[in-house]
Amino acid sequence: MRGHDAVGRRAFVVGAGAATLFAGGGVSGAEAAVVDGPLPDFHPALKDGLTFPLAWGRSPIRDFRAWRRTARAKVEELLIVGRQEHTPYAPEFGPRSGADGYTRELVTVSLTPYERVRGAVLTPHGPGPFPAVLLLHDHGAKFDIGKEKLVRPWYDNARLASARAWADRYFSGRFVGDELARRGYVVLCLDALGWGDRGPLTYDQQQALASNFYNLGSSLAGLMAREDARAAGFLAGLDRVDTRRVAAVGFSMGAFRAWQTAALSDDIAAAAAVCWMTGLKEMMVPGNNTLRGQSSYCMLHPGLPRFLDFPDVASIAAPRPMLFFDGGLDPLFPADGVRVAYDKLRAVWRSRHAEERLRPKTWPDLGHVFVDRMQDEVFTWLDTVL
Protein backbone atom coordinates (compact mmCIF):
# COMPACT_ATOMS: atom_id res chain seq x y z
CA MET A 1 0.00 0.00 0.00
CA ARG A 2 1.12 3.61 -0.56
CA GLY A 3 0.84 6.39 1.97
CA HIS A 4 2.10 9.83 2.94
CA ASP A 5 2.56 11.80 6.12
CA ALA A 6 0.38 14.65 7.29
CA VAL A 7 2.16 17.31 5.26
CA GLY A 8 2.33 15.20 2.11
CA ARG A 9 6.13 15.37 1.81
CA ARG A 10 6.97 11.74 2.61
CA ALA A 11 5.84 8.93 0.33
CA PHE A 12 6.54 5.35 1.34
CA VAL A 13 5.86 1.81 0.27
CA VAL A 14 4.79 -0.75 2.84
CA GLY A 15 4.92 -4.46 2.04
CA ALA A 16 4.08 -7.50 4.05
CA GLY A 17 5.75 -7.24 7.41
CA ALA A 18 7.14 -3.78 6.71
CA ALA A 19 7.35 -1.29 9.54
CA THR A 20 4.95 1.58 10.12
CA LEU A 21 5.32 5.33 10.30
CA PHE A 22 5.77 6.32 13.93
CA ALA A 23 3.60 9.02 15.47
CA GLY A 24 6.63 11.23 15.96
CA GLY A 25 7.36 11.28 12.23
CA GLY A 26 10.12 8.66 12.32
CA VAL A 27 10.37 5.82 9.86
CA SER A 28 11.56 2.37 10.80
CA GLY A 29 14.64 0.96 9.16
CA ALA A 30 12.72 -1.54 7.02
CA GLU A 31 10.74 1.13 5.19
CA ALA A 32 11.75 2.71 1.90
CA ALA A 33 10.91 6.40 1.84
CA VAL A 34 10.94 9.17 -0.73
CA VAL A 35 10.59 12.86 0.08
CA ASP A 36 10.19 16.10 -1.85
CA GLY A 37 9.32 14.32 -5.04
CA PRO A 38 11.60 11.55 -6.32
CA LEU A 39 14.47 12.15 -3.89
CA PRO A 40 15.36 9.38 -1.45
CA ASP A 41 14.70 10.21 2.17
CA PHE A 42 18.45 9.95 2.85
CA HIS A 43 19.52 12.22 -0.02
CA PRO A 44 21.32 14.70 2.31
CA ALA A 45 23.70 11.93 3.35
CA LEU A 46 24.35 11.02 -0.29
CA LYS A 47 25.04 14.66 -1.13
CA ASP A 48 27.41 14.96 1.82
CA GLY A 49 29.34 12.04 0.37
CA LEU A 50 30.00 13.92 -2.87
CA THR A 51 33.39 15.54 -2.27
CA PHE A 52 34.57 15.62 -5.92
CA PRO A 53 38.06 14.34 -5.01
CA LEU A 54 39.43 14.65 -8.56
CA ALA A 55 38.67 18.39 -8.85
CA TRP A 56 41.63 20.69 -9.50
CA GLY A 57 42.85 21.99 -6.15
CA ARG A 58 41.41 19.02 -4.30
CA SER A 59 43.15 16.31 -6.29
CA PRO A 60 46.64 15.34 -5.05
CA ILE A 61 47.91 15.97 -8.60
CA ARG A 62 49.64 19.35 -8.55
CA ASP A 63 50.86 19.61 -12.14
CA PHE A 64 47.98 21.09 -14.14
CA ARG A 65 48.74 19.31 -17.40
CA ALA A 66 48.94 16.00 -15.60
CA TRP A 67 45.67 16.79 -13.84
CA ARG A 68 43.97 17.62 -17.15
CA ARG A 69 45.07 14.29 -18.61
CA THR A 70 43.86 12.39 -15.56
CA ALA A 71 40.54 14.22 -15.27
CA ARG A 72 39.80 13.91 -18.98
CA ALA A 73 40.66 10.21 -18.90
CA LYS A 74 38.23 9.69 -16.02
CA VAL A 75 35.43 11.49 -17.91
CA GLU A 76 36.25 9.50 -21.05
CA GLU A 77 36.07 6.27 -19.06
CA LEU A 78 32.67 7.12 -17.60
CA LEU A 79 31.13 8.07 -20.94
CA ILE A 80 30.89 4.28 -21.45
CA VAL A 81 30.72 4.76 -25.23
CA GLY A 82 34.10 3.90 -26.75
CA ARG A 83 36.30 6.38 -28.57
CA GLN A 84 35.43 6.83 -32.24
CA GLU A 85 38.54 8.47 -33.72
CA HIS A 86 39.17 5.80 -36.35
CA THR A 87 35.74 6.03 -37.97
CA PRO A 88 36.09 7.80 -41.35
CA TYR A 89 33.87 10.88 -41.56
CA ALA A 90 33.16 10.17 -45.26
CA PRO A 91 31.24 13.44 -45.71
CA GLU A 92 28.69 13.85 -48.47
CA PHE A 93 27.80 17.48 -49.21
CA GLY A 94 24.55 18.51 -50.85
CA PRO A 95 24.00 21.37 -53.30
CA ARG A 96 24.94 24.85 -52.19
CA SER A 97 22.31 27.52 -51.72
CA GLY A 98 23.05 31.23 -51.66
CA ALA A 99 22.09 33.55 -48.80
CA ASP A 100 22.91 37.09 -47.67
CA GLY A 101 26.70 37.00 -47.29
CA TYR A 102 27.09 33.23 -46.99
CA THR A 103 26.24 29.92 -48.62
CA ARG A 104 24.30 27.01 -47.16
CA GLU A 105 24.64 23.28 -47.67
CA LEU A 106 23.67 20.04 -45.99
CA VAL A 107 26.29 17.48 -45.10
CA THR A 108 25.92 13.84 -44.11
CA VAL A 109 28.77 12.48 -42.01
CA SER A 110 29.74 9.48 -39.88
CA LEU A 111 30.47 10.55 -36.31
CA THR A 112 30.39 6.95 -35.05
CA PRO A 113 30.39 3.56 -36.78
CA TYR A 114 26.67 3.22 -36.09
CA GLU A 115 24.84 5.70 -38.31
CA ARG A 116 25.15 8.67 -40.63
CA VAL A 117 24.11 12.09 -39.33
CA ARG A 118 22.85 15.03 -41.36
CA GLY A 119 23.85 18.58 -40.50
CA ALA A 120 23.81 22.11 -41.83
CA VAL A 121 26.98 23.95 -42.89
CA LEU A 122 27.05 27.70 -43.45
CA THR A 123 30.10 29.28 -45.12
CA PRO A 124 30.79 33.02 -45.43
CA HIS A 125 31.53 34.47 -48.84
CA GLY A 126 35.23 34.99 -49.45
CA PRO A 127 38.44 33.01 -49.80
CA GLY A 128 38.90 31.82 -46.21
CA PRO A 129 40.07 30.04 -44.23
CA PHE A 130 37.54 31.30 -41.70
CA PRO A 131 37.03 30.96 -37.96
CA ALA A 132 34.30 28.46 -37.20
CA VAL A 133 31.60 27.65 -34.67
CA LEU A 134 30.28 24.23 -33.71
CA LEU A 135 26.72 25.22 -32.82
CA LEU A 136 24.96 22.88 -30.39
CA HIS A 137 21.19 22.87 -30.08
CA ASP A 138 19.12 22.80 -26.90
CA HIS A 139 16.71 20.23 -25.52
CA GLY A 140 13.52 22.12 -24.69
CA ALA A 141 11.42 18.92 -24.84
CA LYS A 142 10.90 19.84 -28.50
CA PHE A 143 12.13 17.09 -30.78
CA ASP A 144 10.70 17.82 -34.23
CA ILE A 145 13.54 20.29 -34.81
CA GLY A 146 17.19 20.08 -33.72
CA LYS A 147 19.66 21.91 -35.94
CA GLU A 148 16.69 23.91 -37.21
CA LYS A 149 16.46 25.65 -33.84
CA LEU A 150 19.67 27.49 -34.69
CA VAL A 151 19.96 27.39 -38.49
CA ARG A 152 17.09 28.52 -40.68
CA PRO A 153 15.84 25.37 -42.48
CA TRP A 154 16.02 26.53 -46.08
CA TYR A 155 15.66 22.88 -47.14
CA ASP A 156 12.38 22.09 -45.35
CA ASN A 157 9.39 24.42 -45.40
CA ALA A 158 7.42 22.06 -43.16
CA ARG A 159 9.88 22.68 -40.31
CA LEU A 160 10.26 26.39 -40.91
CA ALA A 161 7.16 27.47 -38.97
CA SER A 162 8.21 25.37 -35.95
CA ALA A 163 11.76 26.74 -36.14
CA ARG A 164 10.56 30.34 -36.38
CA ALA A 165 8.35 29.91 -33.33
CA TRP A 166 11.30 28.51 -31.37
CA ALA A 167 13.54 31.38 -32.48
CA ASP A 168 10.86 33.87 -31.42
CA ARG A 169 10.55 32.22 -28.01
CA TYR A 170 14.23 31.96 -27.08
CA PHE A 171 16.40 33.88 -29.56
CA SER A 172 14.61 37.20 -30.21
CA GLY A 173 13.45 35.84 -33.55
CA ARG A 174 16.98 35.24 -34.79
CA PHE A 175 18.58 32.11 -36.17
CA VAL A 176 21.89 32.20 -34.31
CA GLY A 177 23.77 30.16 -36.91
CA ASP A 178 22.78 32.48 -39.74
CA GLU A 179 23.82 35.50 -37.67
CA LEU A 180 27.25 33.96 -37.10
CA ALA A 181 27.69 33.15 -40.78
CA ARG A 182 26.92 36.75 -41.71
CA ARG A 183 29.65 37.80 -39.28
CA GLY A 184 32.24 35.62 -41.04
CA TYR A 185 32.09 32.27 -39.25
CA VAL A 186 31.74 28.84 -40.78
CA VAL A 187 28.92 27.17 -38.84
CA LEU A 188 28.25 23.46 -38.35
CA CYS A 189 25.07 22.30 -36.61
CA LEU A 190 23.92 18.67 -36.41
CA ASP A 191 21.00 16.81 -34.84
CA ALA A 192 21.54 14.96 -31.58
CA LEU A 193 19.90 11.53 -31.35
CA GLY A 194 16.16 12.02 -30.97
CA TRP A 195 15.86 15.42 -32.64
CA GLY A 196 15.08 16.53 -36.18
CA ASP A 197 16.21 14.01 -38.78
CA ARG A 198 17.10 11.59 -35.95
CA GLY A 199 13.66 11.71 -34.32
CA PRO A 200 11.32 12.94 -33.26
CA LEU A 201 11.56 11.39 -29.82
CA THR A 202 8.63 11.89 -27.48
CA TYR A 203 9.05 13.27 -23.98
CA ASP A 204 7.98 10.01 -22.36
CA GLN A 205 10.43 7.95 -24.43
CA GLN A 206 13.58 9.68 -23.16
CA GLN A 207 13.95 7.73 -19.94
CA ALA A 208 13.27 4.42 -21.68
CA LEU A 209 15.80 5.24 -24.40
CA ALA A 210 18.44 6.03 -21.78
CA SER A 211 17.78 2.86 -19.80
CA ASN A 212 17.96 0.79 -22.98
CA PHE A 213 21.36 2.32 -23.72
CA TYR A 214 22.49 1.25 -20.25
CA ASN A 215 21.16 -2.27 -20.84
CA LEU A 216 23.23 -2.36 -24.03
CA GLY A 217 26.35 -1.43 -22.09
CA SER A 218 26.35 2.10 -23.42
CA SER A 219 25.03 5.58 -22.59
CA LEU A 220 22.79 8.16 -24.26
CA ALA A 221 24.73 11.06 -22.74
CA GLY A 222 27.99 9.36 -23.62
CA LEU A 223 26.95 9.00 -27.25
CA MET A 224 26.12 12.71 -27.41
CA ALA A 225 29.47 13.63 -25.88
CA ARG A 226 31.38 11.41 -28.33
CA GLU A 227 29.45 12.74 -31.31
CA ASP A 228 30.02 16.36 -30.30
CA ALA A 229 33.76 15.82 -29.90
CA ARG A 230 33.87 14.11 -33.29
CA ALA A 231 31.89 16.94 -34.86
CA ALA A 232 34.48 19.38 -33.51
CA GLY A 233 37.22 17.40 -35.24
CA PHE A 234 35.28 17.28 -38.49
CA LEU A 235 34.68 21.03 -38.48
CA ALA A 236 38.30 21.83 -37.62
CA GLY A 237 39.47 19.63 -40.50
CA LEU A 238 37.49 21.38 -43.24
CA ASP A 239 39.70 23.19 -45.76
CA ARG A 240 37.58 26.31 -45.43
CA VAL A 241 38.22 26.50 -41.66
CA ASP A 242 41.19 27.90 -39.75
CA THR A 243 41.81 24.91 -37.52
CA ARG A 244 43.23 27.13 -34.76
CA ARG A 245 40.04 29.20 -34.49
CA VAL A 246 37.14 26.86 -33.77
CA ALA A 247 34.66 27.58 -30.98
CA ALA A 248 31.76 25.66 -29.49
CA VAL A 249 28.60 27.65 -28.74
CA GLY A 250 25.31 26.46 -27.24
CA PHE A 251 22.21 27.39 -25.28
CA SER A 252 20.62 25.32 -22.49
CA MET A 253 21.50 21.65 -23.12
CA GLY A 254 23.59 23.01 -25.99
CA ALA A 255 25.56 25.03 -23.42
CA PHE A 256 26.27 21.86 -21.44
CA ARG A 257 27.38 20.27 -24.70
CA ALA A 258 29.59 23.27 -25.54
CA TRP A 259 31.68 23.27 -22.36
CA GLN A 260 31.75 19.48 -22.30
CA THR A 261 33.11 19.42 -25.87
CA ALA A 262 35.77 21.96 -24.93
CA ALA A 263 36.77 19.70 -22.04
CA LEU A 264 37.01 16.60 -24.23
CA SER A 265 38.39 18.00 -27.51
CA ASP A 266 41.53 19.98 -28.19
CA ASP A 267 39.98 21.01 -31.51
CA ILE A 268 37.93 23.61 -29.61
CA ALA A 269 39.85 26.84 -28.99
CA ALA A 270 37.06 28.60 -27.05
CA ALA A 271 33.52 27.95 -25.86
CA ALA A 272 30.44 30.02 -25.03
CA ALA A 273 27.81 28.38 -22.83
CA VAL A 274 24.51 30.18 -22.25
CA CYS A 275 22.19 28.99 -19.47
CA TRP A 276 23.77 25.75 -18.32
CA MET A 277 26.26 25.86 -15.49
CA THR A 278 25.73 25.03 -11.84
CA GLY A 279 27.00 23.02 -8.93
CA LEU A 280 25.51 19.53 -8.85
CA LYS A 281 24.59 19.58 -5.15
CA GLU A 282 22.89 22.94 -5.51
CA MET A 283 20.86 21.67 -8.46
CA MET A 284 19.70 18.49 -6.69
CA VAL A 285 17.10 20.28 -4.56
CA PRO A 286 13.34 19.84 -4.24
CA GLY A 287 11.42 21.29 -7.16
CA ASN A 288 14.33 21.43 -9.61
CA ASN A 289 13.64 20.18 -13.11
CA THR A 290 16.54 17.73 -12.85
CA LEU A 291 14.58 15.61 -10.38
CA ARG A 292 12.06 14.70 -13.08
CA GLY A 293 14.61 12.50 -14.87
CA GLN A 294 13.76 12.43 -18.60
CA SER A 295 15.87 15.24 -20.14
CA SER A 296 18.48 14.77 -17.42
CA TYR A 297 19.59 11.53 -19.04
CA CYS A 298 21.05 13.52 -21.94
CA MET A 299 23.59 14.90 -19.46
CA LEU A 300 24.01 12.01 -17.04
CA HIS A 301 27.27 10.05 -17.00
CA PRO A 302 26.93 7.27 -14.40
CA GLY A 303 29.46 7.55 -11.60
CA LEU A 304 30.98 10.87 -12.65
CA PRO A 305 29.79 12.78 -9.54
CA ARG A 306 31.95 10.48 -7.42
CA PHE A 307 34.93 12.30 -8.95
CA LEU A 308 34.02 15.65 -10.51
CA ASP A 309 31.38 18.37 -10.32
CA PHE A 310 30.07 20.09 -13.46
CA PRO A 311 32.45 23.07 -13.21
CA ASP A 312 35.31 20.67 -12.55
CA VAL A 313 34.65 19.00 -15.90
CA ALA A 314 34.42 22.37 -17.65
CA SER A 315 37.75 23.31 -16.05
CA ILE A 316 39.52 20.63 -18.06
CA ALA A 317 39.35 23.20 -20.89
CA ALA A 318 41.37 25.76 -18.91
CA PRO A 319 43.10 28.05 -19.67
CA ARG A 320 41.34 28.40 -23.03
CA PRO A 321 38.85 31.29 -23.36
CA MET A 322 35.43 30.36 -21.97
CA LEU A 323 32.24 32.37 -21.58
CA PHE A 324 29.38 31.41 -19.26
CA PHE A 325 26.10 33.35 -19.17
CA ASP A 326 23.14 32.64 -16.94
CA GLY A 327 19.83 34.36 -16.35
CA GLY A 328 19.18 35.60 -12.85
CA LEU A 329 15.52 34.63 -13.25
CA ASP A 330 16.26 31.19 -14.72
CA PRO A 331 14.17 28.67 -12.72
CA LEU A 332 16.30 25.72 -13.85
CA PHE A 333 19.51 26.89 -12.19
CA PRO A 334 19.24 28.29 -8.66
CA ALA A 335 21.43 31.32 -7.99
CA ASP A 336 23.50 29.58 -5.30
CA GLY A 337 24.38 26.78 -7.74
CA VAL A 338 25.51 29.24 -10.39
CA ARG A 339 27.54 31.13 -7.80
CA VAL A 340 29.28 27.97 -6.57
CA ALA A 341 30.10 26.96 -10.13
CA TYR A 342 31.42 30.38 -11.13
CA ASP A 343 33.61 30.52 -8.01
CA LYS A 344 35.11 27.13 -8.88
CA LEU A 345 35.75 28.18 -12.46
CA ARG A 346 37.37 31.46 -11.42
CA ALA A 347 39.68 29.62 -9.03
CA VAL A 348 40.92 27.31 -11.78
CA TRP A 349 41.54 30.03 -14.37
CA ARG A 350 43.15 32.21 -11.69
CA SER A 351 45.50 29.36 -10.84
CA ARG A 352 46.58 29.41 -14.49
CA HIS A 353 47.08 33.21 -14.40
CA ALA A 354 44.39 33.40 -17.07
CA GLU A 355 41.38 34.86 -15.28
CA GLU A 356 40.95 37.39 -18.10
CA ARG A 357 40.15 34.47 -20.42
CA LEU A 358 37.14 33.47 -18.33
CA ARG A 359 33.92 35.45 -18.62
CA PRO A 360 31.15 34.35 -16.23
CA LYS A 361 28.16 36.69 -16.14
CA THR A 362 24.66 36.75 -14.68
CA TRP A 363 21.94 38.71 -16.48
CA PRO A 364 19.72 39.65 -13.51
CA ASP A 365 16.60 40.51 -15.52
CA LEU A 366 16.60 37.47 -17.81
CA GLY A 367 15.38 33.89 -17.50
CA HIS A 368 16.18 30.82 -19.56
CA VAL A 369 16.77 32.55 -22.90
CA PHE A 370 19.48 33.53 -25.37
CA VAL A 371 18.10 36.87 -26.54
CA ASP A 372 19.63 39.34 -28.99
CA ARG A 373 21.65 41.39 -26.48
CA MET A 374 23.20 38.21 -25.08
CA GLN A 375 23.94 37.02 -28.61
CA ASP A 376 25.58 40.32 -29.55
CA GLU A 377 27.86 40.09 -26.54
CA VAL A 378 28.79 36.50 -27.39
CA PHE A 379 29.50 37.47 -31.00
CA THR A 380 31.76 40.34 -29.93
CA TRP A 381 33.54 38.06 -27.47
CA LEU A 382 34.12 35.47 -30.21
CA ASP A 383 35.54 38.15 -32.49
CA THR A 384 37.97 39.05 -29.71
CA VAL A 385 39.14 35.60 -28.63
CA LEU A 386 39.29 34.04 -32.10
Side-chain angles (χ1 to χ4, degrees), residues 123-374:
T123 305
H125 293 162
F130 304 99
V133 170
L134 176 63
L135 201 53
L136 300 156
H137 68 72
D138 61 75
H139 187 292
K142 184 170 179 59
F143 302 98
D144 62 313
I145 52 175
K147 58 186 177 298
E148 296 83 7
K149 295 179 179 182
L150 296 166
V151 174
R152 186 182 185 278
W154 74 94
Y155 47 84
D156 191 335
N157 288 331
R159 293 182 187 175
L160 182 56
S162 184
R164 279 177 170 161
W166 201 252
D168 288 342
R169 182 176 180 180
Y170 289 106
F171 308 127
S172 298
R174 291 175 168 178
F175 287 99
V176 176
D178 297 71
E179 295 292 328
L180 283 163
R182 291 188 190 98
R183 293 183 67 103
Y185 292 88
V186 174
V187 173
L188 172 65
C189 192
L190 303 116
D191 294 319
L193 182 63
W195 282 265
D197 293 330
R198 304 175 74 187
L201 195 66
T202 67
Y203 186 84
D204 290 340
Q205 288 174 335
Q206 298 175 91
Q207 203 150 295
L209 177 64
S211 67
N212 290 333
F213 263 90
Y214 294 149
N215 281 328
L216 293 167
S218 192
S219 162
L220 176 60
L223 175 72
M224 189 179 297
R226 292 293 190 199
E227 289 188 345
D228 290 344
R230 284 275 292 169
F234 171 69
L235 178 59
L238 292 176
D239 290 342
R240 69 194 79 174
V241 169
D242 182 343
T243 189
R244 301 164 301 173
R245 295 190 291 157
V246 178
V249 176
F251 161 68
S252 192
M253 181 185 77
F256 176 97
R257 297 167 65 192
W259 57 253
Q260 178 176 254
T261 304
L264 295 176
S265 172
D266 292 330
D267 292 307
I268 297 299
V274 179
C275 290
W276 213 116
M277 178 47 69
T278 183
L280 172 61
K281 291 184 181 182
E282 293 73 25
M283 185 172 67
M284 296 296 295
V285 294
N288 190 271
N289 186 64
T290 303
L291 302 190
R292 299 167 66 184
Q294 297 294 5
S295 61
S296 302
Y297 281 91
C298 295
M299 295 153 278
L300 192 160
H301 303 301
L304 185 57
R306 291 187 290 115
F307 302 94
L308 297 161
D309 198 356
F310 296 125
D312 303 328
V313 176
S315 295
I316 296 171
R320 282 171 279 170
M322 300 277 279
L323 177 149
F324 296 90
F325 283 172
D326 80 283
L329 304 179
D330 189 339
L332 301 180
F333 300 99
D336 55 343
V338 174
R339 185 166 50 251
V340 164
Y342 283 3
D343 286 347
K344 285 187 174 184
L345 293 166
R346 287 190 185 98
V348 176
W349 264 258
R350 189 182 304 120
S351 77
R352 301 297 90 211
H353 308 289
E355 196 169 6
E356 75 284 353
R357 296 184 181 180
L358 179 71
R359 189 168 187 181
K361 177 177 178 177
T362 296
W363 298 72
D365 61 326
L366 296 177
H368 196 71
V369 292
F370 187 18
V371 294
D372 49 6
R373 52 193 167 114
M374 302 170 87

Side-chain angles (χ1 to χ4, degrees), residues 3-13 21 25 27 31-44 47 284-287 291:
H4 56 81
D5 68 8
V7 295
R9 295 185 63 208
R10 173 171 289 154
F12 55 94
V13 181
L21 185 68
V27 183
E31 183 180 306
V34 180
V35 298
D36 293 320
L39 278 172
D41 190 24
F42 47 87
H43 72 275
K47 288 171 70 170
M284 296 296 295
V285 294
L291 302 190

